[in-house]
């Protein structure tokens, strides 16, 4: 394990920002710290960087006790949401800053120039050396920020909501590109995000935080298909709730039978949850009786809104290919979950 | 976003307004300042130059420069330190500190002088103690420095606080993660980002320190050649019907004001340029 975090806790004015956090990261792994605001993800990242300290616990990085090392000795590359580029320095000076700070071990001028050129090539900004941050777009600034972080040859790359200030298109593009750079450099990388799509798309494993605790630490596939709690289920995607009769690992709603994925010891009438894409809509008198209140077209799928007899709102997504064109708003339908979760 | 640019004047009322603005400036600022020059040179150049041979005037100028030289570095240190504290930390009493920094702006200069007399004067809180130890504060250099300090206290801090607040701490934190020490962060990141605002504040502070009359008048005692600053000297000379001496000395202050204004204008031009570059996206 490259990075091992044990029992990390931190109190802020009476509330627990971090509560007994333990997990470990493998060499070259790409980890996302995901969670709603206030879940402690940024606090955790700041502790890894040495900008904040826990009340309890330990951080071990490749055999070093990280908490005993000041920021400058941790050799971390950090990228901020606001880019935090030095506005009075050119792109080249920004990238060289970490090397200039080495004092006696400062590399020779040619070496620094070589590093600048190599990194500008890596972040696809050749020819931008003499520009100032104000003359760059948001996406370009973030790429300079990454180049600057990589210049010190860090052993750990930390990114705090790196794409948070960018628009959707640039965001998606930079996301793939960051993954590409990670795969090329093999650098152990930890990034903070509140965007579950970003985390699921990008990371090898995801630390999903809830109120300062780890709700689940898993791969994207496990988090999506085997959520450990209702919070995890709700946070990573949309879902619906319904009452069902449980027998073993099979649930039954009004003649519609479907499996419960996470085996439990529950039986009798229970609230189950199912994903909006894990259901069908039928004209039969089966499943959840509901009335369609809206049909919305999107690229590749249709989104249905419905209200069941008890007044609960439901949302179902059906691929355009499987769409039954006879359905209209106002129709009384049966919603048939295909699989469900019970927490 | 760009604001709509001003348009060229079209109607008669537009021109009237512009002419009125010029006329008003000429009447209230330009003409009186010209009268200073006129009066100073009334007796011809040689008479004017005699002002600079007057030992009292020269002592006053020296004292003014000395006070400014003491007050300026103190204000720079206090200004940077307090701006740093206010913009970099969250603490109890921050709003109080912010309001107190502004207080000298709204305080009458007479009060700014009088408070020191109440503290260090013969009848003041520490009066007996100071007398017993033969320390002169009031009617001496320390009193003048203290009064000037109080009057000029907000200038540097007030320029720095909004800018440092706006800049935030991200760049400084980034520098730390890249291995910069505290000094490196200050001299390579913080200072370059605030240098124009700092210089601007220093200039305003300097102009005020040299020109302050009211507060200094209360604590100085008007001892010729000893505790008369340039503004006080001007008043004394004028009251003694030494018009040429008074206006001659006044040209020095007016000259200082113009130099300050010139540097300030150049700075504003540079500084505005840099500011707009910082906010361009």
């Amino acid at each position: 394990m490259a990075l091992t975090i044990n029992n990390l806790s931190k109190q802020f004015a009476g509330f627990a920002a971090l509560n007994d956090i333990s997990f470990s990261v493998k060499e070259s792994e790409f980890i996302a710290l995901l969670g709603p605001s206030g879940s402690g993800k940024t606090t955790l990242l700041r502790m890894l960087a040495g900008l904040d300290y826990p009340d309890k616990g330990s951080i071990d990085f490749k055999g070093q006790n990280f908490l005993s090392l000041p920021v400058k000795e941790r050799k971390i590359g950090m990228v901020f949401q606001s880019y935090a580029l030095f506005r009075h320095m050119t792109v080249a000076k920004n990238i060289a800053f970490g090397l200039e700070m080495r004092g006696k071990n400062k590399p020779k001028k040619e070496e620094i120039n070589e590093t600048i050129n190599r990194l500008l090539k890596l972040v696809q900004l050749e020819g931008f050396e003499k520009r100032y941050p104000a003359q760059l777009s948001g996406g370009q600034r973030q790429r300079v920020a990454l180049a600057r972080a990589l210049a010190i040859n860090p052993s750990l790359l930390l990114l705090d909501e790196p794409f948070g200030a960018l628009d959707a298109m640039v965001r998606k593009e930079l996301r793939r590109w960051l993954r590409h750079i990670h795969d090329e450099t093999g650098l152990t990388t930890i990034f903070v995000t509140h965007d579950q799509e970003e985390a699921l798309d990008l990371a090898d494993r995801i630390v999903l935080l809830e109120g300062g605790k780890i709700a689940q630490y898993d791969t994207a596939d496990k988090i999506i298909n085997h959520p450990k709690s209702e919070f995890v289920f709700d946070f990573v995607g949309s879902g619906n709730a319904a009452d069902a009769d449980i027998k073993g690992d099979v649930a039954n709603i009004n003649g519609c039978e479907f499996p419960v994925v996470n085996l439990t010891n529950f039986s009798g009438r229970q609230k189950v949850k199912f994903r909006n894409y894990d259901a069908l809509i039928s004209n039969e008198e089966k499943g959840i009786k509901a009335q369609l209140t809206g049909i919305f077209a999107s690229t590749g799928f249709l989104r249905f809104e419905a209200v069941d007899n008890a007044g609960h709102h439901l949302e179902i997504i059906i691929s355009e290919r499987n769409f039954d064109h006879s359905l209209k708003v106002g129709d009384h339908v049966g919603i048939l979950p295909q699989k469900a979760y019970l927490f | 976003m760009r604001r709509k640019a001003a348009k060229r004047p079209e109607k008669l009322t537009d021109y009237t307004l512009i002419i009125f603005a010029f006329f008003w400036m000429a009447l209230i600022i330009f003409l009186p300042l010209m009268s200073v020059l006129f009066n100073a040179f009334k007796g011809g150049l040689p008479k004017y130059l005699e002002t600079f041979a007057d030992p009292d005037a020269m002592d006053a100028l020296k004292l003014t420069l000395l006070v400014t030289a003491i007050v300026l570095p103190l204000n720079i240190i206090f200004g940077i330190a307090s701006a740093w504290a206010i913009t970099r930390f969250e603490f109890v009493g921050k709003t109080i500190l912010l309001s107190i920094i502004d207080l000298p702006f709204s305080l009458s200069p007479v009060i700014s002088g009088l408070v020191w007399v109440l503290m260090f004067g013969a009848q003041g809180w520490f009066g007996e103690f100071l007398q017993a130890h033969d320390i002169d504060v009031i009617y001496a250099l320390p009193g003048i420095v203290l009064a000037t300090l109080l009057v000029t206290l907000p200038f540097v801090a007030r320029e720095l606080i909004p800018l440092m607040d706006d800049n935030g701490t991200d760049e400084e934190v980034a520098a730390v993660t890249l291995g910069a020490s505290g000094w490196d962060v200050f001299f390579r990141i913080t200072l370059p980002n605030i240098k124009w605002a700092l210089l601007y504040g220093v200039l305003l502070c300097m102009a005020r320190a040299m020109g302050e009359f009211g507060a200094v008048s209360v604590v100085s005692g008007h001892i010729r050649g000893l505790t008369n600053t340039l503004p006080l000297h001007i008043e004394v000379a004028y009251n003694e019907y030494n018009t040429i001496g008074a206006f001659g000395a006044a040209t020095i202050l007016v000259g200082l004001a113009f130099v300050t204004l010139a540097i300030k204008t150049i700075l504003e031009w540079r500084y505005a340029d840099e500011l707009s570059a910082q906010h361009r996206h």
Side-chain angles (χ1 to χ4, degrees), chain B residues 13-14 26 41 46 49 106-107 153 170 246 250 252 254 256 264 271:
Chain B
T13 43
D14 301 348
F41 288 99
L49 289 177
S106 48
L107 210 59
L153 177 124
D170 279 357
I252 301 174
V254 174
L256 284 172
K264 176 178 155 286
Y271 179 44

Side-chain angles (χ1 to χ4, degrees), chain A residues 82 86-88 101 134 141, chain B residues 167 170-171 179 188 193 277 281:
Chain A
S82 64
F86 307 133
R87 67 192 85 193
H88 60 291
M101 287 298 106
R141 286 184 214 181
Chain B
N167 284 350
D170 279 357
E171 285 178 53
R188 286 167 179 262
N193 277 338
H281 286 294

Side-chain angles (χ1 to χ4, degrees), chain A residues 185-239:
Chain A
T185 56
L187 201 52
T188 310
T189 303
I190 297 179
F191 84 106
V192 159
T193 180
H194 64 268
D195 180 347
Q196 84 283 357
E197 194 195 318
E198 195 168 284
L200 297 170
D201 184 33
L202 206 47
D204 294 324
R205 284 197 284 173
I206 296 152
V207 180
L208 181 48
L209 291 160
E210 178 194 11
K213 281 186 171 168
I214 295 182
Q216 192 163 348
Y217 179 35
D218 254 323
T219 60
D221 174 56
K222 283 271 177 58
I223 286 197
I224 295 168
N225 295 312
H226 298 279
K228 279 189 178 159
S229 69
E230 194 166 356
F231 168 81
V232 177
F233 178 91
D234 287 337
F235 193 80
V236 297
S238 309

Side-chain angles (χ1 to χ4, degrees), chain A residues 14-52:
Chain A
F15 93 99
L18 289 180
N19 193 348
D20 206 23
I21 300 277
S22 300
F23 66 97
S24 51
V25 176
K26 289 181 224 144
E27 177 81 45
S28 291
E29 230 181 338
F30 198 128
I31 300 291
L33 300 180
L34 175 67
S37 54
S39 59
K41 54 191 192 301
T42 297
T43 307
L44 184 51
L45 194 79
R46 287 176 63 84
M47 281 178 191
L48 290 171
L51 302 169
D52 213 329

